[in-house]
Amino acid sequence: MKLYEPSTIKLIKNKYGFRFSKSLGQNFLIDKAVLDSITDGAGLCKDDLVIEIGPGIGVLTQAAAEKAGKVVAVEIDEGLIEVLRFTLYGIENVKVINGNILKTDLKALIEQEKGDLLHVKVIGNLPYYITTAIIMKLLSDHIGCESITVMMQKEVGDRIMAAPGNREYGAISAAVQYYSIVNRISEVDKTSFMPQPKVDSCVLRMDILDTPAAAPEDEDHFFRVIRAAFGQRRKTLLNSLGSTGAPKSVLAEVLDKADIDKSRRAETLTLEEFARLSDELAQKGY
Ligand code: SAM
């Protein structure tokens, strides 16, 4: 069954009487070339356990199952579980779980499902209303995957890829670049989805680093400092970091010790500089 054909989706819609849920970010892929760009971009092979986020009616699940050893797909919409039972019928190496990806213990799930498979890869056409929450969870929970290849709105992709000094560089860019090396796999036009979203999309691949790109003493503290610094991104660090509770006199000393000019803004700091800043602030008890 060609699940990427609009006529197939309409047929399934009528058979099961479901409606596309806007609030669950349901925009289904109808473009075979885009499907291939995700499975090829992820470099799927028979040694892989694939975790798929939000299978929808199973179009990407089906494509991934052809290339991977096993696919475990987590879908929140209970109504789609019956549809998936039909569309994925007879595909032995797929398991569908009804659940919220943000509340799923992925580390435990992976340990349970991995068996003899050698690699763990996450893929998905993400529900856009929780793109950054999903990516942050996948990275900060240290779930044991080696790459994440996902579709997201283009502007979020641009932010994730942005380098220090770029206007788009923010807390999400710093976090993703701390944990992984990011590459853009493809740009995707809105016409590749049904129903059509308002925004264009892109597919990014994040290869998880064995050792993160900087070495703060306390990772949680490091991320709190990053969030504080970007909380008021137009302000200088001396002002934006006030939200850590540290008085200006302490901040001036900390920035000095970290060798960071106090008139700089968060968007100009490299990960190493954020790590130094975090360590110096922690030393002062903030
Ligand atoms: N993979 C399908 C495709 O490409 O056609 C569907 C992609 S659609 C953009 C996003 C999917 O994620 C929907 O099926 C939606 O129901 C599901 N979803 C939304 N929120 C979720 C959550 N918190 N946990 C798991 N799945 C979720």
Side-chain angles (χ1 to χ4, degrees):
M1 201 182 329
K2 289 181 176 164
L3 295 173
Y4 52 82
E5 285 191 348
S7 56
T8 312
I9 299 180
K10 278 181 196 145
L11 212 100
I12 293 172
K13 245 181 119 218
N14 289 339
K15 181 171 160 79
Y16 289 92
F18 79 84
R19 290 161 182 267
F20 299 114
S21 163
K22 216 174 168 183
S23 63
L24 288 178
Q26 290 179 353
N27 299 95
F28 297 153
L29 267 170
I30 52 168
D31 187 330
K32 171 88 167 62
V34 175
L35 282 172
D36 292 342
S37 86
I38 300 176
T39 54
D40 292 345
L44 299 188
C45 69
K46 286 291 168 191
D47 290 330
D48 296 340
L49 166 65
V50 171
I51 305 292
E52 190 197 354
I53 300 164
I57 64 162
V59 67
L60 182 57
T61 328
Q62 190 187 55
E66 275 176 28
K67 298 187 175 168
K70 182 175 185 180
V71 182
V72 177
V74 181
E75 172 58 56
I76 198 169
D77 187 346
E78 209 180 338
L80 286 175
I81 303 300
E82 196 194 348
V83 176
L84 286 163
R85 210 169 286 136
F86 168 68
T87 57
L88 302 175
Y89 182 78
I91 306 179
E92 300 290 339
N93 59 341
V94 170
K95 182 170 181 175
V96 174
I97 294 174
N98 183 203
N100 180 345
I101 196 73
L102 294 178
K103 295 191 177 154
T104 303
D105 183 345
L106 289 169
K107 202 171 176 173
L109 180 67
I110 287 169
E111 270 166 28
Q112 184 188 313
E113 299 292 340
K114 193 170 172 202
D116 292 333
L117 293 167
L118 300 178
H119 314 280
V120 181
K121 295 171 182 169
V122 175
I123 63 166
N125 169 16
L126 295 182
Y128 290 177
Y129 71 107
I130 44 171
T131 301
T132 52
I134 293 175
I135 290 175
M136 278 314 295
K137 177 187 160 73
L138 294 171
L139 294 170
S140 61
D141 281 3
H142 301 281
I143 61 171
C145 69
E146 69 185 48
S147 65
I148 302 167
T149 305
V150 283
M151 174 94 69
M152 65 191 73
Q153 44 294 46
K154 186 182 170 303
E155 49 143 339
V156 177
D158 290 344
R159 270 195 273 139
I160 285 176
M161 302 272 309
N166 186 307
R167 244 173 5 107
E168 306 279 335
Y169 182 67
I172 184 73
S173 342
V176 173
Q177 292 169 29
Y178 171 76
Y179 288 115
S180 69
I181 301 280
V182 199
N183 280 294
R184 196 185 304 261
I185 300 293
S186 56
E187 304 267 345
V188 181
D189 195 84
K190 41 172 100 65
T191 52
S192 297
F193 303 87
M194 181 180 171
Q196 239 184 68
K198 290 203 174 71
V199 293
D200 285 325
S201 300
C202 68
V203 178
L204 297 192
R205 169 171 162 158
M206 292 157 251
D207 287 293
I208 311 300
L209 291 163
D210 290 334
T211 313
E217 275 161 26
D218 176 342
E219 204 170 85
D220 289 341
H221 186 266
F222 170 73
F223 282 115
R224 276 201 299 280
V225 170
I226 289 178
R227 281 195 297 273
F230 281 110
Q232 293 166 301
R233 56 179 299 138
R234 296 283 154 237
K235 292 190 175 175
T236 63
L237 289 166
L238 192 62
N239 290 311
S240 64
L241 288 171
S243 61
T244 59
K248 274 202 178 145
S249 56
V250 171
L251 287 174
E253 191 188 333
V254 160
L255 285 163
D256 204 38
K257 275 197 167 166
D259 201 18
I260 299 166
D261 191 306
K262 51 185 177 300
S263 65
R264 285 173 64 187
R265 294 181 181 153
E267 66 198 34
T268 70
L269 259 61
T270 63
L271 291 168
E272 289 79 14
E273 287 174 318
F274 272 122
R276 288 208 303 270
L277 182 57
S278 164
D279 292 350
E280 294 294 342
L281 263 172
Q283 279 222 356
K284 291 283 180 191
Y286 293 100

